[in-house]
Amino acid sequence: MSSITDVSERKIRPIYEAIDSLNYKSALSHCNKLLKKQPNALILKALKGLILERTGKSDEALQLCDQLLLWFIGRWGNAIDDIVQLYENATRQNPNNEELGNHLFMAMVRNGDYKGQQQAALKLHKTFGVNKYLFWGIMSLVLQAENAPAGQSSIFMTLAERMMLKAVQEGRLKLTEEVHLYLIVLLTQNKTKEALEVLEGDLGQICKHDTEIKYIRNDLLLKTSNWSKAIEISKLSLTETNIDDWGAYLTYLESQFHLIKSSEKDENGEILNKATILDDARELLRSLQEKGGSSSDVKRGPFLAELELEYRVISELKDCKPAQEIDILAIEYFRKFGEKSCCFEDLQPYLKSIPLETSRMMVEAFNALIDSTCEDVKSRIQNVHKNINVNKLERYLGLLSDISESDAILYVNKLWRSYNDALQYGVELLDTENQYGDEFVILASHLLIDLYLKKGQNSFVLQAIFLLEMALCKSKYNYQFKLLLVRLYQILEVSRVVQVYGYKACSTGHHEVFKCLRNNQCDTVLLLMYFFNIVYSHYICARSSSFAFIGEAIRACHETLQIYRSNDAETPEMIIQAFKLATFSKVQEFIKFRKELDCSMQRVLLYREIVRLDILSISKDLKNTMEYFERDLDSIIDLSYDDPFCATLYDHRDFTVMTNCNPSGTKSFEEVTRVSPTLNKAWLKIFSLIPRILKTLYANNNADDLIILIEELENLITLEERHIGEIVSRLGRLYITTKEVRAGQKESRQKLSKTIDGIISILKDFCKEDFTKISLRELSWKHLHQLSTFLEIQVIQTLKKSVKENLERLNEQLNEFKKKLENEEELYLDLLSFIKSENGFIEFCESELKTWD
Amino acid sequence: MARWPDLFCVQESPSGAMMGYIMGKAEGRGKDWHGHVTAITVSPEYRRLGLADGMMKLLEEVSEKIYNGYFVDLFVRKSNSVAIGMYKKFGYCVYRCVTGYYSSGDNHEEDAFDMRKPLSRDVHRESVAGSGEQNIIKPEQL
């Protein structure tokens, strides 16, 4: 970045002199000459701006000033208030300068000052009479209403609606986005009927081609119980526009079922016959099926809608019979779409409560639909997909729930064979594609993990890892493999491997998607969150401190925080763009996006984890620790944990990304592979309180503050953090008691020894195991969590200048352990022989490895 | 997204999972005024369902009815034969070849095909007239 002083004074002097002698032409040419050599020099830009302004070219001058301002904003991000002030002064002095007025408004937007925005916009509108400024003002009123304390928002909304009505009467609404703003004004007040009237009237004509408006309209019809109209419109949309529009099917069925259930007459007074309505619906779907079936690729919409219809008949209408039983429909659906990957997902909701016997029959029927004699490659690839779907359904329908260990192993072997068999069809696939049979491997590992959960032997986890790693060689970008591997390695606490696979996956795979989205395309809220922040960070960073590799854990946390920093800098600019371009439908979305990332629970969890890791890493010696507490005193005291604060946080972590075929009503695969409960608000509170307590101990603050913190901590202690929580709270109490003793309170002496006994007994409870004696094959997250917690406790103890030897012993153990883990080759061979020795499973390991490499 | 919200679309499955998305823009002057496909993606599980077809149609319709453009264009890697075949099926043809359009940090460059499909406003199909793949230009000529 350039700075003010990067051009020598000697070079600039001629420009000063030319300006002073009013010779602007020569000043400008000199300035331009220097700018060619140093195009980023701020001093030159500033001088050029001055010259341009003096020569009447104020527009160009302002542009330059903008650039300079941006630099200042970047440099002194906290000085935004000053910038607003700056523009306020400037507009006051130049009330007729439209551009300055615009800048003032945008500065307010950047600041999130909705009231200021409104005033600036209305002033602009009053002075220049441009419609856009009026709409800025109305939008700002809506934003004010949204953020007003309860009960006070109606004033803003009434005003906004009144202004809008006036604008409509004056014919100011000409664009879709302006009509959208009108809808926002009405819908913020829940005026659905009025909003629908707007869309049905002249204004609706302006935006009749807009897809989003169409959806809003359908939604409004449902909300206002306009069943007949909703039926008519959704029917039209299905027959004329998009036969595969699931939203339209839902609108249609929803409305029909309302009519059936509500009364004998529809809202227009026409007499209804339930059977006829159902027949009509079935007839519509049948005609759509015929129409959709005639094109080259059959559309699944009308067939899935048939399932939806009959499922609703069964579950919602007591006195009507389905035209066809669900299992028969499901088999028909499989016949048509069994080779589509989404077939399983499509059928899932309708197969929730199928009896086991019917399920068996269904799976048999599915299998019968797979013609294994076919010769051509295309049909064989389709068979791969069909087989995957059947296997998924088998698991989902609960047919594998009581499988014996030996049968399960046979099943795993069968899946692995199917996977290997499918590889031949994918030889030509691009690097970025997944192999056709990848999901066989996912299913095999699910079965192995079932066994692990039942029997508790690590060997099953290792076997699953082995299969997944092999398959990952062939499908380098399969994120399901990677997610699963991260989890499995976490169970075994092989932290280095988690770093390699999990972390690299995160930084090279989806991180790219994230980057390219951010650069110039868009930050579709869903996409961005979906891909990066949500998917990976909580899979990898959760409980990273137990990794024992503190440096890497801290780095991972910081990397993950990147997205929040981008949000701070970039999202305000998006909001400004939306205002500039009058894209009112997106203003609220961007603001919501900014707020939700700003108040992300994951973000706070990461900050707490960093503080925790920082303390762990520096406090190996007392001097560092003291310095740390001295330096970061204020930030630790600021760690919030109170309920109002927690209530403002948004938890966006999406745990449904992982493939799950577990039967409905049972825990998902993601849930059963958690090494510990998900980090939550209780965890957040504990790890905000602990540093604060340590801090208070260090600062020698008064005991009353301390006791409040301790009591809060004692009320929170969760199972996983039991030891650390207990130790910290007892240390706190010890401190208080010591103070009391010093102050001469005799009865506290007894308490003192009791407290010390308590601490010692916890430590004893903890030291039962010698960690170096755990063999690698028995190692799991539990052990390492215990180990790292123990380490943490020891570290905290050093604050009280005690138990030094203990710490040293543990450090030795830990180092030995690290060495063991870091020696990958040894680990690898050990694991390999172990996999082979257990259960007589996968004898092909060695030979497979040879052929693959 | 702030400028062309109607050229952005996400498709969700009945269960609410994201199946695919398209992002576009409107650009150009005079007879070059057109819709552009910035990105289109369909998740592997939802391929071969005609999703891309539907989203392309939506973008074409918006480019025609709302932006009144002459054509829709897109860039595709020369090596991506699957995608090129798909776009041809949708009615796009190669208008020209841009050398070294795709470049990555490690000096790997790849040519791009500029593929176009005329809309009804372009009555004489002027936007796709020319020598197609033989019409080679450099990225800076774009």
Side-chain angles (χ1 to χ4, degrees), chain A residues 177 209-211 244 246 297 299-300 304 340-342 345 433 479 517 521-522 524 526-527 577-578 581 583 586 589-590, chain B residues 1-3 5-6 8 10 12-15 17-19 21 23 38-39 44-50 58 61 65-66:
Chain A
E177 284 296 334
H209 291 302
D210 193 275
T211 320
D244 228 7
W246 187 245
D297 41 9
K299 297 285 181 197
R300 65 202 224 278
L304 199 58
K340 309 282 185 198
S341 304
C342 58
E345 186 199 312
E433 299 284 315
Y479 71 94
L517 279 175
Q521 299 183 335
C522 90
T524 311
L526 267 169
L527 264 181
Q577 280 298 318
L581 302 161
T583 316
K586 294 289 165 277
E589 281 180 30
F590 289 144
Chain B
M1 192 150 179
R3 191 185 295 260
D6 42 5
F8 284 71
V10 168
E12 277 182 10
S13 76
S15 71
M18 193 158 72
M19 304 192 289
Y21 62 85
M23 307 176 190
T38 311
E45 307 91 287
Y46 306 100
R47 303 250 166 98
R48 314 197 69 83
L49 295 169
L58 178 82
E61 195 183 306
K65 290 196 179 146
I66 294 175

Side-chain angles (χ1 to χ4, degrees), chain A residues 565-581:
Chain A
R565 281 192 285 272
S566 315
N567 177 49
D568 290 343
E570 287 166 29
T571 318
E573 300 309 313
M574 294 298 292
I575 303 170
I576 286 179
Q577 280 298 318
F579 267 110
K580 248 185 208 165
L581 302 161

Side-chain angles (χ1 to χ4, degrees), chain A residues 449 452 458 460-470 472 481-503 539-540 543 546-547 658 673-675 776 779-782 784 821 824 827-828 831 835:
Chain A
I449 298 309
Y452 161 73
N458 277 359
F460 295 115
V461 183
L462 292 167
Q463 287 157 8
I465 289 176
F466 184 81
L467 297 185
L468 288 163
E469 286 286 4
M470 298 272 279
L472 192 62
F481 286 170
K482 289 177 185 174
L483 283 180
L484 207 47
L485 278 167
V486 167
R487 266 295 159 85
L488 301 188
Y489 280 126
Q490 213 171 20
I491 290 177
L492 300 183
E493 192 62 29
V494 186
S495 50
R496 209 173 123 66
V497 193
V498 171
Q499 294 288 327
V500 172
Y501 285 103
Y503 197 57
Y539 276 97
I540 292 165
R543 304 198 170 266
S546 314
F547 284 176
M658 243 179 178
T673 52
R674 286 180 189 171
V675 289
L776 275 171
L779 181 67
S780 77
W781 183 84
K782 270 179 270 160
L784 267 263
L821 281 177
E824 265 179 280
L827 177 70
Y828 182 65
L831 294 187
I835 293 174

